[in-house]
Each structure stands twice: as structure tokens, then as C-alpha cells.
Amino acid sequence: GLRQSNVAQGQVGAWQYFGRTPIVLPITTQRIKPRVNLTSTVSANQGETRLLATHHLTLQVEKAGIYSLTLNSSQLTGDDAFTVSNVASNGLMDWKLDPDSGQITLLYTSRVLGAQPVQVVLEKPAGEFPGTFTLQPLRLGATEKEPFDLGRESATVNARGARGLQLKAAESQQTREIAGGQAVLAFASTQADWSVTFGVEKLDAQIIAEVFNLVTVGDGRAVADEAVQAMERVSDSAKGIDSVIE
């Protein structure tokens, strides 16, 4: 008959059969659903002519690999939408943007498992000053053909202005302010669906001048020689006088 035996490393099950008649052993297989965690750092640079927002994403794919994923944001749709200027990732075969839904689809040449970096660069023309701009996350999603479970999501946001521009935190949701560098505003997300709005002001120009007053006396030796010669002439003409007032 059919008897279950010890399972070796890497095996799900093992059986031994003793007999002459054929047997049927039904085995049910099920695809392991991947789980993906997301850590992101969003860096914004407000210039005088354009706003640049770079999303540095790190995917941690667990349990099983994936070949595709989506990144979604409402900031990629509408009249004031960001433009996707570049998407970069190791082994990335192609990417495409659906402007109607604000969804970026990424396709890979090989299975992605473990840590996987993704960089998405967004930009748009700068508005009038004073003004505001808002940063929101790129939310991770799965394609219809390749579903996966979404795990932990965390983000760090930092923004700076070009020289002559000053940034202030106007409004934030699902974030807390953290220490940033010099002239940098920084926040950490407390929930996946975070949002930060910054105010932008143009600083008044300041002119700092250092004035030096310089007086130059030229040909000083010649002037001294002329004075000595004059005194000698006075001395010669004053012979016989007991005192000469110099």
C-alpha cells in the first residue's frame, strides 16, 4: 500500500508505495501570494521656473517574486498634474503612464524578489510667488494578472527652495515634522495616505556693500627734497641773524 514517509529538506510531502496495481495520488497546488513592503523618500526642490519632486522607492518583495507593479497618484492627472520625466529601476523592461487614471505600470524582464530600488522623477512649471505646492505619495498597487499583498508603507518627505525662495509648512496630513538639514523642511509619514502642502515666498533682494576710503600721497620724496632746499636758502640769507625761526 501507500505509506507516508519522512519529508526531506525542501519537500512538502513524501510517500512510499508497495504493490503491483497502479495508484492515483491527487495533489493540489496553490500559488504563493507575494507580499510587498514599501519605503520611500520624497525630495522636492522648488526653483524659480520649475518644481522637481524625486521619489526614491525601495520595494521589499517577500514569499514569492513579481514581474509587474503599478504606482498611482492623483497628482498625475488634471490640469495641474506633474509630468513623469523619468522612471528607473534595475531590470526594468518598460513603463507606461495612463494620464486618465494617474497610474504608472512597470514591467520587469526577470522576477523581482527581495530589495528592489525604483526612482520616479516628477516635475512641473513653477507657479506664481507667493504660492503653494503639495506633495503626495506614489501608492503601490498590483496588476490584474499578478496580484500581491501590500505590507508596510513608510515615507520621509523633505523640501528645499532655490536661493531667493523661502519655504514654509502650510498644511500636513498623516505626517509629523522631523529634523532636516539647513534650509530643509522634513516630515515622516504616520499613515500611508499622507499629504504635505508647502508655502513659497520670494525673498526681497538685499545689497551689502563695503566702502573703503583711500587717500594716496604721491611723490612724497620729491616734496621732502623741495622743503629741505627751501630751508637751506632761508639759512643762507639769514647769516648774521642770531635766531632763525623755522
Side-chain angles (χ1 to χ4, degrees), residues 199-229:
V200 187
E201 295 181 358
K202 199 167 187 177
L203 299 176
D204 295 333
Q206 295 182 349
I207 299 177
I208 301 176
E210 295 183 359
V211 180
F212 296 91
N213 294 324
L214 181 63
V215 178
T216 303
V217 178
D219 204 9
R221 181 178 180 83
V223 173
D225 291 343
E226 291 176 0
V228 171
Q229 293 174 7

Short mmCIF file of all heavy atoms in Angstrom, two decimals, residues 199-229:
data_model
loop_
_atom_site.label_atom_id
_atom_site.label_comp_id
_atom_site.label_asym_id
_atom_site.label_seq_id
_atom_site.Cartn_x
_atom_site.Cartn_y
_atom_site.Cartn_z
N GLY A 199 4.19 76.39 1.58
CA GLY A 199 4.06 77.75 1.07
C GLY A 199 5.40 78.25 0.57
O GLY A 199 6.45 77.94 1.14
N VAL A 200 5.37 79.02 -0.52
CA VAL A 200 6.60 79.52 -1.14
C VAL A 200 6.53 81.04 -1.21
O VAL A 200 5.55 81.61 -1.69
CB VAL A 200 6.80 78.95 -2.56
CG1 VAL A 200 8.18 79.34 -3.10
CG2 VAL A 200 6.62 77.45 -2.57
N GLU A 201 7.56 81.70 -0.71
CA GLU A 201 7.67 83.15 -0.77
C GLU A 201 8.99 83.54 -1.42
O GLU A 201 10.01 82.87 -1.23
CB GLU A 201 7.59 83.76 0.63
CG GLU A 201 6.25 83.55 1.32
CD GLU A 201 6.23 84.19 2.69
OE1 GLU A 201 7.28 84.75 3.09
OE2 GLU A 201 5.18 84.14 3.36
N LYS A 202 8.93 84.64 -2.16
CA LYS A 202 10.15 85.16 -2.79
C LYS A 202 10.74 86.22 -1.88
O LYS A 202 10.06 87.18 -1.49
CB LYS A 202 9.84 85.75 -4.17
CG LYS A 202 11.05 85.89 -5.06
CD LYS A 202 10.64 86.17 -6.49
CE LYS A 202 11.84 86.14 -7.42
NZ LYS A 202 11.44 86.35 -8.83
N LEU A 203 11.98 86.04 -1.50
CA LEU A 203 12.64 86.96 -0.59
C LEU A 203 13.02 88.25 -1.30
O LEU A 203 13.34 88.25 -2.50
CB LEU A 203 13.89 86.31 0.01
CG LEU A 203 13.67 85.04 0.83
CD1 LEU A 203 15.01 84.47 1.28
CD2 LEU A 203 12.78 85.31 2.04
N ASP A 204 12.97 89.38 -0.56
CA ASP A 204 13.41 90.66 -1.12
C ASP A 204 14.93 90.64 -1.27
O ASP A 204 15.66 90.09 -0.45
CB ASP A 204 13.00 91.81 -0.20
CG ASP A 204 11.49 91.96 -0.11
OD1 ASP A 204 10.81 91.58 -1.09
OD2 ASP A 204 10.99 92.44 0.92
N ALA A 205 15.38 91.30 -2.34
CA ALA A 205 16.82 91.36 -2.59
C ALA A 205 17.50 92.24 -1.56
O ALA A 205 16.96 93.27 -1.14
CB ALA A 205 17.07 91.89 -4.00
N GLN A 206 18.67 91.85 -1.13
CA GLN A 206 19.48 92.62 -0.20
C GLN A 206 20.84 92.89 -0.83
O GLN A 206 21.45 91.99 -1.41
CB GLN A 206 19.66 91.88 1.12
CG GLN A 206 18.36 91.70 1.91
CD GLN A 206 18.60 91.00 3.23
OE1 GLN A 206 19.68 90.48 3.47
NE2 GLN A 206 17.60 90.99 4.09
N ILE A 207 21.29 94.15 -0.68
CA ILE A 207 22.59 94.54 -1.22
C ILE A 207 23.49 94.91 -0.05
O ILE A 207 23.15 95.78 0.76
CB ILE A 207 22.46 95.72 -2.20
CG1 ILE A 207 21.57 95.33 -3.39
CG2 ILE A 207 23.84 96.16 -2.69
CD1 ILE A 207 21.34 96.45 -4.36
N ILE A 208 24.60 94.26 0.07
CA ILE A 208 25.59 94.54 1.11
C ILE A 208 26.84 95.09 0.44
O ILE A 208 27.42 94.45 -0.44
CB ILE A 208 25.92 93.27 1.91
CG1 ILE A 208 24.65 92.71 2.55
CG2 ILE A 208 26.98 93.54 2.96
CD1 ILE A 208 24.86 91.40 3.27
N ALA A 209 27.24 96.33 0.85
CA ALA A 209 28.40 96.98 0.23
C ALA A 209 29.44 97.31 1.28
O ALA A 209 29.11 97.70 2.41
CB ALA A 209 27.95 98.26 -0.49
N GLU A 210 30.69 97.19 0.94
CA GLU A 210 31.81 97.57 1.79
C GLU A 210 32.57 98.70 1.09
O GLU A 210 33.03 98.53 -0.04
CB GLU A 210 32.74 96.39 2.05
CG GLU A 210 32.09 95.27 2.85
CD GLU A 210 33.06 94.16 3.16
OE1 GLU A 210 34.22 94.28 2.71
OE2 GLU A 210 32.66 93.18 3.81
N VAL A 211 32.64 99.87 1.75
CA VAL A 211 33.23 101.06 1.14
C VAL A 211 34.58 101.33 1.81
O VAL A 211 34.67 101.39 3.04
CB VAL A 211 32.30 102.28 1.31
CG1 VAL A 211 32.94 103.52 0.67
CG2 VAL A 211 30.94 101.99 0.67
N PHE A 212 35.60 101.52 1.02
CA PHE A 212 36.93 101.85 1.51
C PHE A 212 37.30 103.26 1.04
O PHE A 212 37.16 103.56 -0.16
CB PHE A 212 37.99 100.86 0.98
CG PHE A 212 37.78 99.45 1.45
CD1 PHE A 212 37.02 98.56 0.71
CD2 PHE A 212 38.35 99.02 2.64
CE1 PHE A 212 36.82 97.27 1.15
CE2 PHE A 212 38.17 97.72 3.08
CZ PHE A 212 37.39 96.85 2.33
N ASN A 213 37.72 104.14 1.97
CA ASN A 213 38.23 105.46 1.63
C ASN A 213 39.75 105.39 1.59
O ASN A 213 40.40 105.14 2.62
CB ASN A 213 37.78 106.50 2.66
CG ASN A 213 36.27 106.71 2.62
OD1 ASN A 213 35.67 106.67 1.56
ND2 ASN A 213 35.67 106.91 3.79
N LEU A 214 40.34 105.65 0.46
CA LEU A 214 41.78 105.50 0.27
C LEU A 214 42.36 106.81 -0.24
O LEU A 214 41.91 107.33 -1.27
CB LEU A 214 42.08 104.37 -0.72
CG LEU A 214 43.55 104.08 -1.00
CD1 LEU A 214 44.23 103.62 0.28
CD2 LEU A 214 43.67 103.01 -2.10
N VAL A 215 43.29 107.37 0.52
CA VAL A 215 43.97 108.61 0.13
C VAL A 215 45.43 108.28 -0.19
O VAL A 215 46.13 107.68 0.63
CB VAL A 215 43.89 109.67 1.26
CG1 VAL A 215 44.64 110.92 0.84
CG2 VAL A 215 42.45 109.97 1.59
N THR A 216 45.88 108.69 -1.36
CA THR A 216 47.24 108.40 -1.80
C THR A 216 48.03 109.71 -1.93
O THR A 216 47.58 110.64 -2.61
CB THR A 216 47.25 107.66 -3.14
OG1 THR A 216 46.47 106.46 -2.99
CG2 THR A 216 48.66 107.31 -3.56
N VAL A 217 49.14 109.77 -1.27
CA VAL A 217 50.04 110.93 -1.40
C VAL A 217 51.16 110.52 -2.34
O VAL A 217 51.94 109.61 -2.04
CB VAL A 217 50.61 111.36 -0.03
CG1 VAL A 217 51.58 112.52 -0.20
CG2 VAL A 217 49.48 111.72 0.91
N GLY A 218 51.19 111.15 -3.49
CA GLY A 218 52.17 110.77 -4.49
C GLY A 218 53.44 111.60 -4.43
O GLY A 218 53.43 112.76 -4.01
N ASP A 219 54.53 111.00 -4.82
CA ASP A 219 55.82 111.67 -4.95
C ASP A 219 56.24 112.35 -3.64
O ASP A 219 56.63 113.51 -3.61
CB ASP A 219 55.77 112.69 -6.08
CG ASP A 219 57.17 112.98 -6.64
OD1 ASP A 219 58.10 112.25 -6.24
OD2 ASP A 219 57.29 113.92 -7.43
N GLY A 220 56.09 111.62 -2.52
CA GLY A 220 56.41 112.20 -1.22
C GLY A 220 57.87 112.58 -1.07
O GLY A 220 58.22 113.57 -0.43
N ARG A 221 58.79 111.82 -1.67
CA ARG A 221 60.22 112.12 -1.55
C ARG A 221 60.58 113.43 -2.22
O ARG A 221 61.36 114.22 -1.72
CB ARG A 221 61.05 110.97 -2.12
CG ARG A 221 62.54 111.17 -2.00
CD ARG A 221 63.30 109.97 -2.53
NE ARG A 221 64.73 110.19 -2.41
CZ ARG A 221 65.43 109.98 -1.32
NH1 ARG A 221 64.82 109.55 -0.24
NH2 ARG A 221 66.73 110.19 -1.29
N ALA A 222 59.93 113.69 -3.37
CA ALA A 222 60.20 114.95 -4.08
C ALA A 222 59.75 116.14 -3.25
O ALA A 222 60.43 117.17 -3.19
CB ALA A 222 59.51 114.94 -5.44
N VAL A 223 58.61 116.03 -2.58
CA VAL A 223 58.12 117.13 -1.74
C VAL A 223 59.08 117.39 -0.58
O VAL A 223 59.39 118.53 -0.22
CB VAL A 223 56.70 116.80 -1.22
CG1 VAL A 223 56.24 117.85 -0.20
CG2 VAL A 223 55.72 116.72 -2.37
N ALA A 224 59.59 116.33 0.04
CA ALA A 224 60.54 116.50 1.15
C ALA A 224 61.83 117.17 0.68
O ALA A 224 62.39 118.05 1.37
CB ALA A 224 60.83 115.15 1.78
N ASP A 225 62.34 116.80 -0.49
CA ASP A 225 63.56 117.41 -1.02
C ASP A 225 63.37 118.90 -1.26
O ASP A 225 64.25 119.73 -0.98
CB ASP A 225 63.98 116.72 -2.32
CG ASP A 225 64.45 115.29 -2.07
OD1 ASP A 225 64.76 114.98 -0.89
OD2 ASP A 225 64.49 114.49 -3.03
N GLU A 226 62.21 119.31 -1.80
CA GLU A 226 61.92 120.72 -2.05
C GLU A 226 61.87 121.49 -0.75
O GLU A 226 62.36 122.64 -0.64
CB GLU A 226 60.60 120.85 -2.80
CG GLU A 226 60.69 120.34 -4.24
CD GLU A 226 59.33 120.41 -4.93
OE1 GLU A 226 58.36 120.86 -4.28
OE2 GLU A 226 59.26 120.00 -6.12
N ALA A 227 61.33 120.86 0.32
CA ALA A 227 61.27 121.55 1.62
C ALA A 227 62.66 121.77 2.19
O ALA A 227 62.98 122.84 2.76
CB ALA A 227 60.40 120.75 2.59
N VAL A 228 63.55 120.79 2.07
CA VAL A 228 64.92 120.92 2.57
C VAL A 228 65.67 122.03 1.83
O VAL A 228 66.40 122.85 2.43
CB VAL A 228 65.65 119.57 2.46
CG1 VAL A 228 67.15 119.75 2.77
CG2 VAL A 228 65.02 118.55 3.40
N GLN A 229 65.52 122.09 0.51
CA GLN A 229 66.19 123.12 -0.28
C GLN A 229 65.72 124.52 0.10
O GLN A 229 66.51 125.48 0.19
CB GLN A 229 65.98 122.87 -1.77
CG GLN A 229 66.66 121.60 -2.26
CD GLN A 229 66.30 121.29 -3.71
OE1 GLN A 229 65.65 122.10 -4.38
NE2 GLN A 229 66.77 120.12 -4.19
#
